[in-house]
């Protein structure tokens, strides 16, 4: 059974500094530009709508004031997490179109909620040309959430962003794999010291994109599932310069396609976000077309007729298995089906099919062909996942870079 993709626009630019004093970053236009090239139709995806961000207005922010737009980013992240959670609760595969990299905070919050609901940890595959690991512990000041998103989602930084809903960190350091940073990345040693696994471009190319995707799977063997973040500045500016901070030494479109296909070709991949494309630097739409071609081809495993429905690994209280490559063999990854989704918000347990009629009520979540697809009426956030009786499933229990605020 194929997995259905739901495309959600998250056109925020709150995490970037203005290109000039009187302008705003153009990456908020990215979802529309990609849709104009037929992305949804080619993916046969459901339109999950657009989450409109707060107004971009740095006001009188100055270096030393903390992260610019922090209250607005925090509010937006909660709303984005709610929307992502609702998509996952429908059994769909979310594709989030950013916007700048601050959208990762909303995705991370959704994943932490999910991990809590199923009693396991969710990992992150971070595909980006930059580590985005600036934080108060390694920089004189912070300011641009888009240049600090990986630090924030691993618990580093001001609590109103790094600990929304009292959750900190959203991802543990050992549950993060960074792919595609440049070999000279400013914070590469900080990543190493934190125990965050990385594969810069030279190593990615030496091993190949397909093997790198498999390697990333192996690093997250102890996670119940994982989320994929893609910043298109992982591409070399020779082929894709339409970003806020182009940096030579990136990968090619073909490599990104193969990498993406490998990362999503598993039921444990829970969703993907795409960030930082700026249509202001793409007046004829050529780069948007290339991105759409790459995303459609890369997500082909998700919509293949024989695609395996999403699955989560069971919670494992044992000591985490060693990472691949340390000389020991990691334990085999076993899987269990994702428990069915009940319509009660997280709280007292609920059970589907409890009326004794033997009907699988989960069928009501998906529309018939040609029907209006408004989706279920749900409360905010992720819904409790419980097993359907009679099934085998069971509840499981820096100096800022160019394009970032100074």
């Amino acid at each position: 059974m194929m997995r259905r993709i739901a495309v959600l626009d998250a056109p925020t630019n709150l995490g970037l500094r203005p290109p000039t004093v009187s302008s705003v970053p153009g990456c908020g236009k990215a979802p529309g530009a990609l849709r104009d090239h037929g992305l949804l139709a080619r993916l046969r995806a459901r339109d999950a709508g657009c989450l409109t961000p707060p107004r971009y207005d740095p006001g009188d922010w100055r270096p030393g004031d903390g992260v610019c737009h922090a209250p607005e980013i925090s509010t937006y992240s909660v709303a984005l997490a709610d929307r992502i959670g609702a998509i996952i609760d429908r059994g769909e595969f979310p594709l989030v179109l950013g916007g700048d990299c601050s959208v990762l905070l909303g995705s991370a919050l959704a994943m932490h909620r999910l991990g809590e609901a199923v009693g396991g940890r969710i990992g992150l595959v971070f595909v980006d040309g930059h580590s985005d690991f600036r934080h108060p512990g390694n920089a004189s000041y912070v300011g641009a959430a888009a240049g600090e998103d990986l630090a924030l989602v691993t618990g580093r930084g001001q609590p109103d962003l790094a600990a929304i809903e009292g959750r900190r960190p959203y991802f543990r350091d050992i549950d993060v794999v960074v792919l595609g940073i440049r070999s000279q990345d400013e914070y590469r040693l900080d990543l190493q010291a934190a125990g965050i696994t990385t594969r810069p471009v030279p190593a990615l190319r030496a091993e190949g994109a397909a093997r790198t995707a498999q390697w990333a799977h192996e690093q997250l063997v102890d996670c119940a599932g994982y989320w994929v973040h893609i910043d298109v500045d992982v591409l070399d500016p020779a082929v894709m310069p339409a970003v806020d901070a182009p940096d030579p030494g990136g990968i090619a479109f073909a490599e990104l396609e193969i990498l993406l296909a490998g990362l999503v070709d598993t039921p444990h991949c829970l969703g993907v976000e795409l960030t930082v494309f700026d249509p202001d630097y793409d007046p004829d739409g050529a780069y948007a077309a290339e991105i759409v071609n790459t995303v459609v081809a890369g997500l082909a495993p998700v919509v293949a007729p024989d695609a395996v429905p999403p699955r989560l690994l069971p919670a494992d209280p044992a000591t985490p298995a060693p990472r691949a490559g340390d000389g020991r063999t990691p334990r085999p990854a076993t899987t269990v089906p994702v428990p069915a989704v009940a319509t009660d918000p997280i709280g007292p347990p609920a059970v589907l099919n409890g009326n004794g009629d033997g009907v699988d009520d989960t069928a009501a979540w998906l529309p018939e062909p040609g029907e209006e697809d408004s989706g279920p009426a749900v409360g905010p956030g992720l819904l409790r996942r419980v097993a359907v009786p009679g099934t085998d499933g069971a509840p499981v229990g820096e100096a800022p870079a160019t394009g970032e605020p100074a």
Side-chain angles (χ1 to χ4, degrees):
M1 146 178 150
M2 65 184 291
R3 300 169 70 181
R4 190 179 190 190
I5 295 174
V7 177
L8 171 63
D9 293 2
T12 179
N13 54 12
L14 296 172
L16 295 171
R17 72 173 179 183
T20 66
V21 174
S22 60
S23 66
V24 299
C27 60
K29 304 172 186 177
L34 299 177
R35 284 171 175 258
D36 280 348
H37 287 269
L39 178 61
L40 272 71
R42 293 175 64 184
L43 290 173
R44 299 181 63 188
R46 181 176 73 86
D47 189 341
C50 174
L51 182 61
T52 303
R55 181 180 180 182
Y56 184 92
D57 183 7
D60 59 357
W61 178 89
R62 295 290 182 272
D65 292 345
V67 177
C68 187
H69 291 122
E72 293 83 3
I73 292 172
S74 179
T75 300
Y76 190 73
S77 296
V78 172
L80 181 57
D82 292 346
R83 297 284 286 270
I84 293 172
I87 292 171
I88 291 176
D89 285 340
R90 295 172 61 102
E92 295 175 325
F93 184 95
L95 171 60
V96 179
L97 303 179
D100 68 63
C101 287
S102 67
V103 301
L104 179 58
L105 275 72
S107 307
L109 179 59
M111 293 303 104
H112 194 279
R113 291 175 179 176
L114 176 59
E116 181 178 76
V118 302
R121 309 193 318 266
I122 307 298
L124 171 67
V125 180
F126 187 84
V127 182
D128 200 306
H130 307 92
S131 62
D132 295 351
F133 204 61
R134 183 175 62 240
H135 58 82
N138 63 13
S140 58
Y141 61 83
V142 296
E148 297 146 14
D149 52 297
L150 183 57
L152 289 166
V153 300
T154 54
R156 298 164 172 87
Q158 57 199 65
D160 58 345
L161 295 177
I164 299 171
E165 299 180 348
R167 303 171 187 273
R168 186 173 192 163
Y170 311 123
F171 299 110
R172 302 198 326 176
D173 291 345
I174 63 170
D175 297 331
V176 176
V177 177
V178 175
L179 305 176
I181 61 172
R182 309 312 193 240
S183 56
Q184 73 279 10
D185 188 273
E186 183 174 3
Y187 300 110
R188 63 192 184 282
L189 297 181
D190 294 306
L191 295 175
Q192 180 179 342
I196 295 175
T197 302
T198 64
R199 180 164 281 187
V201 171
L204 190 160
R205 282 195 152 150
E207 292 295 327
R211 291 179 62 183
T212 293
Q214 179 59 39
W215 173 82
H217 297 168
E218 294 167 359
Q219 308 312 301
L220 301 176
V221 67
D222 292 299
C223 292
Y226 61 81
W227 182 262
V228 176
H229 163 89
I230 297 178
D231 181 335
V232 295
D233 70 15
V234 72
L235 294 161
D236 194 276
V239 298
M240 225 302 292
V243 296
D244 67 290
D247 195 1
I251 63 176
F253 275 108
E255 291 169 306
L256 179 58
E257 175 189 320
I258 295 169
L259 181 64
L260 176 59
L263 291 173
V264 303
D265 192 13
T266 167
H268 310 309
C269 181
L270 301 173
V272 173
E273 67 191 19
L274 193 70
T275 65
V276 175
F277 168 54
D278 190 337
D280 284 349
Y281 302 117
D282 184 26
D284 63 0
Y287 301 123
E290 285 280 9
I291 292 171
V292 167
N293 289 340
T294 300
V295 171
V296 170
L299 292 182
V302 177
V303 296
D306 59 347
V308 180
R311 293 176 184 268
L312 294 175
L313 295 173
D316 185 353
T319 303
R323 288 187 182 275
D326 66 357
R328 293 176 289 171
T329 303
R331 72 172 187 275
T334 57
T335 63
V336 296
V338 173
V341 181
T343 56
D344 290 336
I346 292 177
V351 179
L352 288 173
N353 299 336
N355 55 10
D357 63 5
V359 177
D360 183 359
D361 299 325
T362 58
W365 288 79
L366 295 178
E368 293 297 324
E371 281 187 5
E372 178 72 18
D373 186 15
S374 58
V378 297
L382 289 157
L383 306 181
R384 177 175 293 278
R385 285 161 168 72
V386 296
V388 177
T391 70
D392 292 333
V396 288
E398 96 210 14
T402 304
E404 299 166 1

